[in-house]
Amino acid sequence: MPSTKRLRTEPIVRVRTGCWACRRRKKKCDEAKPVCGGCVRNKLTCQWPSTSTSPDSASSQDENPRDMDLVDERDIHTTPARTAVASQSTSTDTAENQTTEPNTTATAMTIGNALSRPLSMMPGHGLDAYQLLSHYMATTAECMANGSTPINPFLVQIVPLAFSSDLLLQLVLTQSAAHRAFRRLNDSDEVAQSHYTKALQLFRRGVTDFIDGMESNPLILTVGALVMCFTETAKGDMNGTIFDHLSAAHSLLIRLLAQSDAAVPKDLKDFVIEYYTYTAAVSMISIDARVSHQVLLNFDLEQKARQLLETGYVGNLCGCWLELLLLIPCIFDLGRGWMMHEGQPVVPTADEIAMYGSLQAQIMRWAPYPTVTPEVFMAGHIFRQAMLLYLYTSLSGYSRSKTGMHQMLIETAMTEAMSYLTQLSATARINSGLCWPIAVVGSCLTDSDQQENLRQRLTTMVATFGLGNMHRTKLLLEHMWQMPLEEAGPWNICRAMEQNQIWISFA
């Protein structure tokens, strides 16, 4: 005879004597006063309800404590994002219109086993945070992505992940604040400066916790470092700070990719690999090949990116030209070997000539996917011509005399690149990812009309997208156009940066 379950006769009584922090975190409180054990372990502010509070009033306050600290990062970052992407329109409406904390049950998000936060709720943040989130979702995210695909990963990947982490949320708000400040031409924007300072402090604390073993999952920090890279892009930093963030992202990404494939959702991992590969590849030209090796893309990271190629990957950063980006380290190494003999007449070795021929064949053979949009197709051809210029000038040294051994090839690549740029509107979204080819082509231009054409294009791009690195690219080219002819070309971009103290990435 089946056993019968004993029915509960006593009501379930919720304990209401724990501190606010433990109630909020839904953790059992040991009720040690003045500071409970949970708050000691997690370095939280331990606050207690008034002893005169009635059970009914305690119940209502328990759902909405106002004066407690946020959950520490270790509780938030324990597992990667797995599910639940909120719709773009709903998130935008929430950010713009919601000023009070609503019922959190309907909009709560699950990020693995991490403590989730509802999209409509940002405890600990003021009204400016809602405004910045609205600006991010409506403007910043659109400017960061080049529109190669209809799904914007800066919205569907970054935003849900940010709502599982105080650190990443702060970094997203900081990026939005930096972008908004530059669009307003306000270099002294106090909101942007305050958020930037707070973001750096939180990020450094997170890195310290990771190094000390207090945090084992590098996902949030990896994405955070990449977000910081594009924050420098948005604000137009000229101090080379982006390279510090990129170095941190490199170390963290290696650890992240060492985890099992099941640890991070595939779409998120693919985007992180694209994000880093794109930023590292287009930043390499800022490194002086005469004095430094490229350490931004090692073999393992390159192989991960090549796995994306096998799937016909098209991304909102690399468009359809990921294959071309992966050739940049090879050309860098080839040019580095030649530049070490600067000023000395050295004949290329057989290996260098073979490598040169192989790279040229790969670039010439490459073509945009026929399924991409016309704008992406055109941008792919612009990248292709810029890659040829980068390659042609790697073995011809710095000389741009009329008798240079690759002068005719260089002139042809410049002419075709400028032709494609003329056909592509300067206001098209795809331009957000074209600073690198524009810098490469622009560094070779000697004709004043072509220089003016590129100058006007960059001016329009700055007005359209409001990204600081576009303005800095224009500023750098203005300096290069004043340099002697023999000092022109993409391999002298790093020299122009050094002379004028304009240390930027073209991400």
Side-chain angles (χ1 to χ4, degrees):
M1 181 176 182
S3 59
T4 58
K5 294 184 179 180
R6 181 181 178 183
L7 297 178
R8 181 184 296 275
T9 58
E10 305 82 15
I12 299 176
V13 180
R14 183 178 180 182
V15 177
R16 304 189 186 283
T17 53
C19 71
W20 285 131
C22 289
R23 292 189 192 187
R24 179 63 175 227
R25 298 167 61 236
K26 299 180 181 178
K27 302 291 185 180
K28 183 176 181 180
C29 182
D30 62 13
E31 302 183 24
K33 295 185 178 181
V35 182
C36 73
C39 290
V40 170
R41 288 192 303 275
N42 293 291
K43 300 179 181 179
L44 300 176
T45 301
C46 192
Q47 295 182 341
W48 298 85
S50 171
T51 55
S52 61
T53 302
S54 66
D56 291 338
S57 62
S59 175
S60 62
Q61 292 182 38
D62 180 53
E63 300 300 325
N64 193 22
R66 296 285 182 176
D67 300 319
M68 58 165 289
D69 288 349
L70 298 179
V71 179
D72 68 314
E73 295 173 19
R74 284 175 294 168
D75 284 331
I76 294 175
H77 299 169
T78 51
T79 54
R82 294 184 183 276
T83 58
V85 175
S87 70
Q88 177 178 341
S89 60
T90 302
S91 301
T92 304
D93 292 342
T94 298
E96 291 179 340
N97 304 323
Q98 192 70 35
T99 56
T100 59
E101 296 178 7
N103 185 340
T104 63
T105 304
T107 56
M109 236 178 7
T110 302
I111 307 293
N113 295 321
L115 182 63
S116 61
R117 176 186 298 149
L119 285 176
S120 58
M121 180 176 165
M122 292 189 293
H125 293 275
L127 178 61
D128 69 298
Y130 290 92
Q131 296 171 344
L132 290 175
L133 182 61
S134 176
H135 182 271
Y136 178 87
M137 301 185 74
T139 306
T140 303
E142 292 296 298
C143 292
M144 293 298 171
N146 63 27
S148 292
T149 67
I151 299 177
N152 187 341
F154 289 93
L155 292 174
V156 301
Q157 300 293 348
I158 300 297
V159 172
L161 195 61
F163 275 91
S164 72
S165 162
D166 290 324
L167 169 61
L168 194 53
L169 178 60
Q170 179 60 52
L171 296 178
V172 167
L173 296 178
T174 299
Q175 185 179 90
S176 178
H179 184 220
R180 187 181 67 176
F182 186 85
R183 289 176 68 91
R184 294 176 175 178
L185 304 179
N186 186 359
D187 293 336
S188 58
D189 189 303
E190 294 183 0
V191 173
Q193 292 176 355
S194 174
H195 277 277
Y196 185 78
T197 300
K198 184 177 180 181
L200 286 179
Q201 291 173 346
L202 285 176
F203 184 75
R204 288 168 181 163
R205 187 188 308 164
V207 171
T208 300
D209 289 346
F210 183 79
I211 294 174
D212 292 342
M214 300 172 65
E215 170 58 55
S216 60
N217 184 7
L219 174 63
I220 295 296
L221 286 174
T222 303
V223 176
L226 292 172
V227 170
M228 286 300 291
C229 286
F230 273 28
T231 298
E232 306 300 341
T233 292
K235 69 197 291 278
D237 176 73
M238 295 193 295
N239 299 315
T241 310
I242 187 173
F243 297 99
D244 296 331
H245 303 319
L246 197 54
S247 177
H250 178 270
S251 300
L252 292 163
L253 181 57
I254 290 175
R255 298 197 182 195
L256 178 64
L257 296 179
Q259 296 183 349
S260 67
D261 291 339
V264 182
K266 183 180 184 302
D267 288 346
L268 177 58
K269 178 177 283 189
D270 289 349
F271 175 57
V272 171
I273 293 172
E274 178 201 4
Y275 201 151
Y276 179 82
T277 302
Y278 166 80
T279 308
V282 299
S283 299
M284 220 167 286
I285 201 170
S286 304
I287 301 173
D288 192 338
R290 297 177 300 275
V291 299
S292 176
H293 294 278
Q294 76 83 11
V295 293
L296 300 178
L297 268 177
N298 63 19
F299 179 77
D300 291 337
L301 293 180
E302 181 181 335
Q303 291 304 110
K304 291 291 185 181
R306 290 197 179 279
Q307 290 176 10
L308 293 183
L309 280 178
E310 297 174 359
T311 65
Y313 188 82
V314 177
N316 260 281
L317 292 173
C318 69
C320 62
W321 48 87
L322 177 59
E323 182 179 354
L324 295 179
L325 292 177
L326 292 175
L327 296 180
I328 290 179
C330 301
I331 299 177
F332 182 94
D333 291 338
L334 179 66
R336 172 176 166 74
W338 184 258
M339 307 258 170
M340 300 304 292
H341 305 289
E342 182 184 2
Q344 304 176 18
V346 178
V347 177
T349 65
D351 287 342
E352 288 173 337
I353 294 176
M355 176 61 73
Y356 177 92
S358 174
L359 290 169
Q360 183 182 27
Q362 291 181 67
I363 298 172
M364 295 294 289
R365 186 171 60 245
W366 180 88
Y369 300 136
T371 55
V372 298
T373 65
E375 292 178 348
V376 178
F377 191 89
M378 194 74 65
H381 280 294
I382 294 170
F383 251 96
R384 180 172 175 266
Q385 297 305 318
M387 289 292 297
L388 287 173
L389 277 174
Y390 190 44
L391 175 65
Y392 292 154
T393 54
S394 66
L395 287 186
S396 60
Y398 294 101
S399 176
R400 282 291 312 282
S401 63
K402 294 183 179 180
T403 57
M405 71 181 206
H406 293 310
Q407 187 61 29
M408 185 60 68
L409 293 174
I410 291 173
E411 293 292 343
T412 301
M414 282 194 301
T415 300
E416 292 194 17
M418 290 301 296
S419 174
Y420 286 124
L421 281 168
T422 301
Q423 298 176 56
L424 181 64
S425 170
T427 61
R429 277 185 66 188
I430 198 68
N431 285 277
S432 66
L434 294 185
C435 278
W436 187 86
I438 287 176
V440 171
V441 175
S443 68
C444 298
L445 294 180
T446 57
D447 181 79
S448 59
D449 290 338
Q450 289 181 327
Q451 291 175 355
E452 178 60 24
N453 185 303
L454 215 53
R455 181 183 294 113
Q456 292 301 321
R457 181 180 196 86
L458 285 168
T459 300
T460 302
M461 287 167 58
V462 171
T464 302
F465 300 97
L467 294 175
N469 73 321
M470 293 178 176
H471 177 268
R472 308 317 186 209
T473 300
K474 175 175 173 287
L475 182 63
L476 182 66
L477 288 178
E478 295 285 3
H479 287 293
M480 294 203 72
W481 292 334
Q482 302 301 318
M483 296 169 66
L485 180 63
E486 61 271 12
E487 295 181 11
W491 296 88
N492 268 330
I493 285 178
C494 56
R495 280 185 168 180
M497 288 184 178
E498 182 178 4
Q499 292 173 6
N500 299 283
Q501 294 299 294
I502 305 176
W503 299 106
I504 64 173
S505 163
F506 297 102

